[in-house]
Structure formats: C-alpha cells, structure tokens
Amino acid sequence: AQSVTQPDIHITVSEGASLELRCNYSYGATPYLFWYVQSPGQGLQLLLKYFSGDTLVQGIKGFEAEFKRSQSSFNLRKPSVHWSDAAEYFCAVGALYSSASKIIFGSGTRLSIRP
Amino acid sequence: SQTIHQWPATLVQPVGSPLSLECTVEGTSNPNLYWYRQAAGRGLQLLFYSVGIGQISSEVPQNLSASRPQDRQFILSSKKLLLSDSGFYLCAWSVGSRTSNQPQHFGDGTRLSIL
C-alpha cells in the first residue's frame, strides 16, 4: 500500500540557516509527489510537485525538492529560511484508485524559526 | 483562475446538534472534490470524495455524511454531532481525472468546536 513517512515531527532552525525536511514514500510504481505548507489556522498550499523528468524540482517561496528513487525519498530544501517559513509542512504521494485520484499525506513536520 | 470557498470559518456547536459545512469551487468544471479532517497536531484524514454530482465515496465509517447537489458544491453534514467530531475540516478540489498526478487545492478550512 502507498504510504508517506515524515520522520521529523518538529524541527527548529535559525533564521537564515539552510533547511532540509525529510520525506520517504512507499509506492509500487512511478510516484507523483507533492509538498504542501500549512500556516496556523489555514488551508494547505501547494509548494511544488514532481511528476517526471528532472529530479530536482523548484517550487514557490524559494523551496526545492529532490526526488531520489534509490532512496524512495523526496526531501524539501531551502538555502536560507525566513521567519515567515514557520509552518507545518506535508509531503504527499498521488495514488490512483478505481474512481478518482487521491493524495496520501504524511503526518507533517512542524517548522519553527529561531530569531 | 480557480478559487475554492469554505464556510463558515469557525463554528461552535453543542453535542447532538446538526451540522452543515459548505464548499464551493469556481473557475473549473467537473472537479473532483474532497473533505478532510485534521485533528489538533495531526495529519489529514480523508473523509469523503466525489467525482461527480450525486457520487460520494466514504473513506471511513463515522457520524458524518457528504452530498454534492451541484457540480461545484460539496456539503458536509451530520444529524447529531459528537464530541469527537471536533477538528479542522478542509475541503479540496482537483482536476477531474482518473490519473494520480493531479494536485489538490485546499480551502481555508472550518474550525469546528463541539461543546
């Protein structure tokens, strides 16, 4: 069965420092992968997506993610975080069911920014 | 461009009262529609999805029901709320497709508190 694991529940980094959020997936075929961000009390916003092609994908707000098939990973990175990046981040994999596309979400990583 | 609206933003209801949350999408036709629940500090749980008018699939047995009376309208209901129904409810849409590569786009959510 498809699944997504985000091993880090909570991460704190200093403002201006680099960031990497980990994501591992389990999927029997070529996965479609997504990263979403959720600010407190808000809905989820799509940061980036990977379907095929270049394994390094660029997203909004200066984020990027790299797909590594050999490691079943899709880690999210940002070279220099800003205080406004504090939020919950969800990795997700697209799943195909009999009648609709669905997305399976990881449990999320909460990012705090140290001034 | 497409937009998704959810209301109300917050709701406080007594145990045993009915519930109706509404979600509408603009700027697209025949979308797939989804209802999720997010418990405090937890990930997203898919409750219902719909691929067309009157077509509802339930993911988990529960005290809630969903309906899709119009192409771009999705309603989450309950006849009698339980304390365990408290949470953050998110509506989402994706391009109507049977492929697994469609990202979902989320509304701003409804915070439901049961007293």
Side-chain angles (χ1 to χ4, degrees):
Chain A
Q2 300 91 344
S3 65
V4 178
T5 301
Q6 292 181 249
D8 303 306
I9 296 174
H10 183 205
I11 284 181
T12 300
V13 299
S14 297
E15 189 169 17
S18 64
L19 170 70
E20 183 168 26
L21 301 182
R22 297 184 291 166
C23 172
N24 294 98
Y25 67 89
S26 173
Y27 193 69
T30 300
Y32 299 109
L33 296 161
F34 310 91
W35 273 100
Y36 285 84
V37 60
Q38 183 182 31
S39 297
Q42 300 293 314
L44 277 71
Q45 181 183 23
L46 180 67
L47 282 176
L48 48 77
K49 58 190 178 186
Y50 170 77
F51 293 163
S52 64
D54 193 349
T55 56
L56 185 64
V57 293
Q58 302 297 319
I60 62 172
K61 304 185 179 187
F63 286 92
E64 65 179 27
E66 186 170 13
F67 170 63
K68 293 186 178 180
R69 184 187 299 275
S70 61
Q71 299 177 21
S72 297
S73 69
F74 188 56
N75 293 349
L76 182 71
R77 302 195 294 245
K78 187 169 184 178
S80 175
V81 297
H82 186 262
W83 65 267
S84 60
D85 293 324
E88 188 92 18
Y89 291 82
F90 293 93
C91 181
V93 61
L96 181 61
Y97 289 78
S98 60
S99 59
S101 62
K102 296 183 190 176
I103 290 182
I104 296 172
F105 289 87
S107 54
T109 297
R110 183 161 62 93
L111 174 65
S112 297
I113 306 297
R114 190 183 302 117
Chain B
S1 64
Q2 302 89 359
T3 56
I4 180 170
H5 303 280
Q6 264 187 263
W7 67 92
T10 59
L11 189 60
V12 180
Q13 292 285 94
V15 170
S17 63
L19 172 74
S20 181
L21 303 181
E22 190 162 343
C23 171
T24 59
V25 180
E26 297 176 357
T28 187
S29 296
N30 196 32
N32 289 344
L33 296 172
Y34 308 84
W35 277 112
Y36 289 88
R37 177 168 56 205
Q38 187 176 30
R42 305 282 297 276
L44 283 80
Q45 179 186 35
L46 179 62
L47 301 176
F48 301 94
Y49 68 93
S50 172
V51 299
I53 295 174
Q55 301 178 60
I56 308 296
S57 296
S58 174
E59 287 293 288
V60 292
Q62 59 203 315
N63 185 42
L64 302 169
S65 62
S67 61
R68 185 171 176 174
Q70 301 180 44
D71 180 45
R72 292 168 289 175
Q73 183 185 28
F74 205 24
I75 297 173
L76 184 69
S77 303
S78 174
K79 293 182 179 178
K80 284 187 177 182
L81 286 167
L82 305 173
L83 282 174
S84 57
D85 292 323
S86 292
F88 191 52
Y89 289 82
L90 289 158
C91 181
W93 74 272
S94 70
V95 171
S97 169
R98 295 173 183 263
T99 63
S100 58
N101 64 351
Q102 298 299 329
Q104 292 177 13
H105 307 278
F106 288 79
D108 289 333
T110 295
R111 175 75 58 195
L112 175 63
S113 300
I114 310 301
L115 304 179

